[in-house]
Every structure is written in C-alpha cells, then in structure tokens.
Amino acid sequence: MNQIDLKDRVMVVTGGARGIGYAVAQRALRSGAAVALWDVDGERLERSRSELSALGPVSVVKVELTDEASVEAAALKTVETHGAIHALVNSAGITGGNGLTWELPVDMWRRVIEVNLIGCYLTCRAVVPHMIAQGYGRIVNIASVAGKEGNPNASHYSASKAGLIGLTKSLGKELATKNVLVNAVTPAAAKTEIFDSMSQQHIDYMLAKIPMNRFLMPDEAASLIVWLTSEDCAFSTGSVFDLSGGRATY
Ligand SMILES: NC(=O)c1ccc[n+]([C@@H]2O[C@H](COP(=O)([O-])OP(=O)(O)OC[C@H]3O[C@@H](n4cnc5c(N)ncnc54)[C@H](O)[C@@H]3O)[C@@H](O)[C@H]2O)c1
C-alpha cells in the first residue's frame, strides 16, 4: 500500500459509519489523520468508532445531513474536538430504490435530492469558511457514474449525482485561489450495504456495464479518495475522477 501523508490533518467523513466512507476513514487513519465520522446512524457510529480507534483519533457526530442546524452543529463540534477541519469527504448517500421516473414516489424523488445533493451543499457551506480562514482545505464529493450516464430506473439518484458534479465544478472554481480544492469521484457499483436498497435486476444491470466485470472494492475507492484529500493533490480542482472499472467514456 502506498503511503499517503495526512499527518496532523483532520478529516470529516460523512456516511463514515459504513461502506465506502468507513474504508476512507480507515485509510485516512492509517495515513496519520484524525477522523470525525458524521452519520445519522448512531448505533453504527459507535461500533465503527470502537473498531477504528486502534488506528488513531476518531470522533463521531450523529448528524442529519439534510438539516442545516444539525450540520452546523457537527462542524462546530468537530473543530472543538480536533481543533480544525482540513478535509471533507462527502460519502453519505441513499439510492431511493429503483423504478421508472413516472412511477417513483414524489417524496422519495425529493428525499434522494435532499440527501445526496443538498446534504453535500450544506456540509460544504458549513466547512468552507473555516478552510478559507486557515488557507487550506480538500473536499471530495462521492458522486457516481450514474450522474454522468443516467441509469434507467434510478432517475432521482442519477440526477442527484449529476447535480453533485455540478456543485463540485462550481465550488472548485470559486475556491481555486484559496488552496481549497474540490473534486468528485464517480464510482461504479461497490458491494456495500447500499445494495440492500436496490433491485437485483438493477445490480445485474450495473455489473454488466463494467468492462472489468467485477464490482469496485471500497478499499480501491479509498485509495483515490484519500489521495485527493492530501497535499499531493495540488493542481486538480473542480474535477471528476473515474472509479468505474472502464465504464465511463468521459
Ligand atoms: N456502493 C456503490 O455501489 C456506489 C456506487 C457509486 C456511488 N456510490 C456513492 O458512494 C457513497 C457511499 O456509498 P456506500 O456504498 O458506502 O453506502 P452505504 O449505504 O454503505 O453508506 C452510506 C452511509 O450514509 C449514511 N446516511 C444516509 N443518509 C444520511 C443522512 N441523511 N444523514 C447522515 N448520514 C446519512 C448512512 O447511515 C450510511 O452509513 C454514496 O454517496 C453513494 O451514492 C456508491
């Protein structure tokens, strides 16, 4: 495993209680960072904290990412605990299930946009002023290849991830002279608990689209994501990095 230097850095990982966010937290801790896990699942947060604490300093904050006050409070608490926030990885996300656009419940369509897009906007909004003030920051948004291509039976999810790519590009340009870099990654399917919310037909569809003919491993995603949060990532911002096993063509 390559060494990534995150010594004395503090990283927030939303959705860090499980899945890709958990793998990111693990790799960040092994790279010398202190990590704050922000997640809505309090029980799972505690379990993850006790598993990860052997690797380095871990704090947890129970947060509802669609709630502005909850996100602001999480940012304040993290700065209070660790003294700073140098990196933000927006990994929390939901699929909202699968269905045709005109048959998906309106509430579910809205909820997916709220969590996957507005949630990331709110975390950026809470953390960016702090990063500007300290003259350093790295933000990585976990979008999806679905946001580039549009998956059938997942219009809410695809639209939310396309929106997140747009947010990344705009914010990256706004912060380009501040040493606060904002990038996105676009994974293809990784076998995490998020699969429980998708139909087998949809999972088969996603696998069939991947030229490498296998699912992404969370650790493979963490390698790229954690590098993007490091100082070594210096001249890339507002950009989108592929994690699709050959699926993406742009
Ligand atoms: N796994 C995949 O196949 C895949 C593919 C492409 C993109 N992604 C994206 O990667 C990210 C991570 O996916 P994963 O597979 O690790 O998912 P996961 O379901 O394993 O973990 C997501 C975490 O987000 C948390 N969360 C959800 N809604 C929240 C909210 N409102 N407030 C706070 N926390 C909330 C959950 O509690 C959970 O711990 C997601 O944004 C997902 O859309 C995943």
Side-chain angles (χ1 to χ4, degrees), residues 109-191:
W109 223 95
R110 286 210 165 102
R111 179 71 187 158
V112 170
I113 301 291
E114 280 283 336
V115 175
N116 294 0
L117 178 56
I118 314 275
C120 295
Y121 154 67
L122 290 176
T123 57
C124 290
R125 194 172 186 278
V127 160
V128 161
H130 175 81
M131 290 177 167
I132 293 174
Q134 75 192 356
Y136 181 89
R138 298 287 184 270
I139 297 174
V140 183
N141 294 320
I142 319 248
S144 168
V145 72
K148 287 178 163 184
E149 291 197 2
N151 278 344
N153 297 302
S155 59
H156 46 0
Y157 184 79
S158 303
S160 72
K161 296 300 188 178
L164 186 55
I165 291 171
L167 169 64
T168 303
K169 291 181 176 179
S170 294
L171 188 59
K173 289 179 178 70
E174 288 168 5
L175 294 169
T177 59
K178 309 271 186 224
N179 198 21
V180 178
L181 310 186
V182 189
N183 291 293
V185 295
T186 50
K191 207 171 184 179

Side-chain angles (χ1 to χ4, degrees), residues 18-20 39-40 63-65 91 142-143 157 161 187-190 192:
R18 57 165 68 73
I20 294 172
D39 204 290
V40 74
V63 57
E64 169 50 63
L65 291 166
S91 186
I142 319 248
Y157 184 79
K161 296 300 188 178
T192 66

